[in-house]
Amino acid sequence: MWDDAFPSFLIGLREGLEAGLIVSVLVATLARADAKSRLPQVWTGVLAAIALSMSFGAVLTFTAASLSTAAQEAFGGTLSIVAVAFVTAMVFWMRRSARSLAGEIKEKVTGALTMGAGVLILTSFLAVGREGLETALFLWTTARAAHESAGPLTGAGIGLVLAAVQCWGLYRRVLSINLTRFFTATGAVLIVIAAGVLGYGLRDLQEGGVLPGGTAYAVDLSGSVDAGSWYSTLLQGVLNLTPTMTWLQVAGYVGYLGVVMTLFVRGVRGVAPALSPSRTRPAPSTPAPSGPASATPAPSGPASATSAPTGAVPAVDAAPVTRTAGPAAPPGPDPATPAPSATSPQPAKATPTQPTPAPTRHRPAWLIPVAVVAVPAILAGLVVALARPKPAEGETVAVSAKSCGQGFTAPEPGRQTFQMRNTGDQTSEVYLIDPDTNAVYGEIEGLAPGTTRDLVATVAGGTYAWRCVPTDGKAVTSKAVRVGGAAGARAVVPVSAKDLAGPLRAYKAYVDRGLATLVTETRTLSDDIRTGHLDRARADWLTAHRTYASLGAAYGTFEDFDQKINGRPDGLPGGVHDKDFTGFHRIEYGLWHGQPAGELKGPAGQLAADAAGLWKAFPHQDFDSSDLPLRAHEILENTLQFELTGDTDQGSGTGLATAEANLAGTRELLTVLRPLLTARAPHLLPTVDADSARLRTLLDAQHRDGRWTPVDRLGRTAEERIDGATGQLLEDLSPVPDLLEIRKSA
């Protein structure tokens, strides 16, 4: 998570400081002008800008989620490039404007003071809104590249909080920051980060089919670089450099970095003399005009912002502002007009009757703040609701054992809903396929006679047909139709039981060899206990238990033998003392809780007998080939749930050793499935292999001097790393069951 936080932290700090400086100057100017009553107008504009920025982020998030996979890639890639453009423009603009930022804002605020509340709200809204929109866009692209939002949002939050503290310090005159140097240094770092975002965006556009060259790799280190290692994760999170990059990614990254960084450095050198304190010269003073025309003295002392060196902002302040709002003072007496004499008769002045003013209706103070938050949120909700592609009113397609796809015509590209109606007398499987490759775009299992169900699928350029497979009958395929446009819909090439027959034979041979080894090892364990060598028995127990743990994909085939050999005391009336508590964990409890050899002879002999019985029965047990893809994920799920929590530990503290044996069994299973997976997801296995190697390294690090660290004695960091690596491997293995699911359309 933290590897993805730094780019967002830097954006949050820069944009937050920029927006915070603007707000600080606004507040300071109003305070100096004795117009604190107008501060709510500033905060209203700031609130509106925040609401707009958050609503913009929501629109990006929810509208992208409703697109097809290819459209999501294209949308994300486009916005990544837009974000790079915004960040680049921001970097150059702040490098030029940091020294004069406060003065420009003061001028705008001074002008806004003479106008109504709406102008001041608009001034603060525009000043903060631009930074907010840029931040929302960059955060969205960063979170999408990281495939998670916790790290980027946390980094941005820390940056914004730090920026707020800095602005408060400037306002309270307890902090001094050279903004020119700050924005120059962070700008150089942001250019490097933006180069990575550009490369990621180009890759998205390639995966979305917008740009070519998606399979032309300039760099492919997936086989030799651990994608889950700390250094690889750091490079991916901060710089978006991945072990596999296309030529277009590399060209975009190097080209952007070379051109933009060169221009940036040249610009910094161009203003270098102005940044050197030794070369700073005070501006020539202009004598103030004499006489009453000079109404406002120039500020002096530490309150004057112009007394600081160029680029330094020691405090946020504002020059005194001449108040021009409100009614003008009445003119003084005209010297040309004689004053009326005290004895002169004064004409009687009639006092006209003044009309009673209508009572002023005050709107509630909360109305405008609530409105500025509600309006962007409502508009964002409407955009999300209207932008979500609604499935088109699908055509009704009839299926039966004799005909399939009646009423099917070429659909429009996009997300479509087909109403599948079973008009026959048999339950049927229904598939939307590519007839040339048999790849499946969508499916319905068990469509009963006389029923109608919706099948939702994304349609792009290509050839489509329906394939219906009744319960008792042959598959029927409809006439193919052609849909124009670019290809983009993703399909899964189906797997048949025949395809899995070879991997199943290979894995059964692996299990048979493992069971033969297990029989020998359990007999050795039984002999150790029978002869009273309990220290030797503890070592031999772990050896035999790891052998059994490495056969995880066959647990469902072992029937009742698994409960006898590796059952836990959970749910037994007597717990660890129950007569039905047998197998490895029963012996483990006795060996590590001081039970004598005489009490363990029976359980040890029974374990050896059960292992031999399983080896004899296994060739005749029903091993469903469809279990293989499921076990690739389930073995490690059980590892994370039981071994890595210490739930199965009965005193030996060897949960990590068992976890490593489970990992070895998963690797063996992936070995026999590798040809099928490589043909359907060529980039999946390199990632899985890297994840697996990382987890194995972390587990091996806890095996020192022949002893394994118990799970409950792991340090917090080590435990989080092992759990995180296991979770990442599980996530990357999650597509395997769907990719290798046996489908009748094959």
Side-chain angles (χ1 to χ4, degrees), residues 585-643:
H585 292 301
R586 168 65 183 90
I587 299 172
E588 177 189 10
Y589 181 84
L591 287 174
W592 275 273
H593 284 83
Q595 291 185 350
E599 293 185 20
L600 297 176
K601 286 181 180 179
Q606 183 180 348
L607 173 61
D610 289 336
L614 174 59
W615 184 31
K616 182 179 180 180
F618 177 70
H620 310 290
Q621 290 176 330
D622 184 20
F623 199 146
D624 191 347
S625 58
S626 64
D627 285 347
L628 289 180
L630 294 174
R631 298 294 184 264
H633 193 266
E634 290 177 351
I635 296 173
L636 290 179
E637 276 186 338
N638 291 334
T639 303
L640 189 61
Q641 181 180 0
F642 299 114
E643 268 67 43

Side-chain angles (χ1 to χ4, degrees), residues 156-174:
I158 295 174
L160 290 171
V161 170
L162 183 58
V165 171
Q166 290 177 330
C167 290
W168 178 86
L170 290 172
Y171 181 78
R172 303 297 298 177
R173 299 175 180 276
V174 296

Side-chain angles (χ1 to χ4, degrees), residues 546-573:
R546 292 186 66 186
T547 297
Y548 186 79
S550 67
L551 309 178
Y555 286 174
T557 304
F558 291 164
E559 299 174 348
D560 294 337
F561 283 102
D562 183 53
Q563 180 61 32
K564 295 176 182 179
I565 293 174
N566 205 40
R568 293 178 294 145
D570 303 353
L572 296 177

Side-chain angles (χ1 to χ4, degrees), residues 516-598:
T517 303
L518 180 68
V519 169
T520 301
E521 291 171 347
T522 53
R523 286 174 180 170
T524 301
L525 173 62
S526 179
D527 291 341
D528 292 338
I529 294 176
R530 181 174 52 81
T531 57
H533 295 93
L534 297 187
D535 288 338
R536 188 188 305 166
R538 293 185 183 94
D540 289 338
W541 175 90
L542 180 57
T543 300
H545 189 240
R546 292 186 66 186
T547 297
Y548 186 79
S550 67
L551 309 178
Y555 286 174
T557 304
F558 291 164
E559 299 174 348
D560 294 337
F561 283 102
D562 183 53
Q563 180 61 32
K564 295 176 182 179
I565 293 174
N566 205 40
R568 293 178 294 145
D570 303 353
L572 296 177
V576 294
H577 303 292
D578 196 278
K579 62 180 180 60
D580 292 328
F581 181 34
T582 61
F584 278 110
H585 292 301
R586 168 65 183 90
I587 299 172
E588 177 189 10
Y589 181 84
L591 287 174
W592 275 273
H593 284 83
Q595 291 185 350

Side-chain angles (χ1 to χ4, degrees), residues 495-509 623-626 628 672-673 676 742:
V495 171
S496 66
K498 182 179 179 180
D499 295 327
L500 284 172
L504 180 60
R505 284 193 300 270
Y507 192 76
K508 289 179 71 173
F623 199 146
D624 191 347
S625 58
S626 64
L628 289 180
V672 301
L673 295 175
L676 295 176
I742 295 178

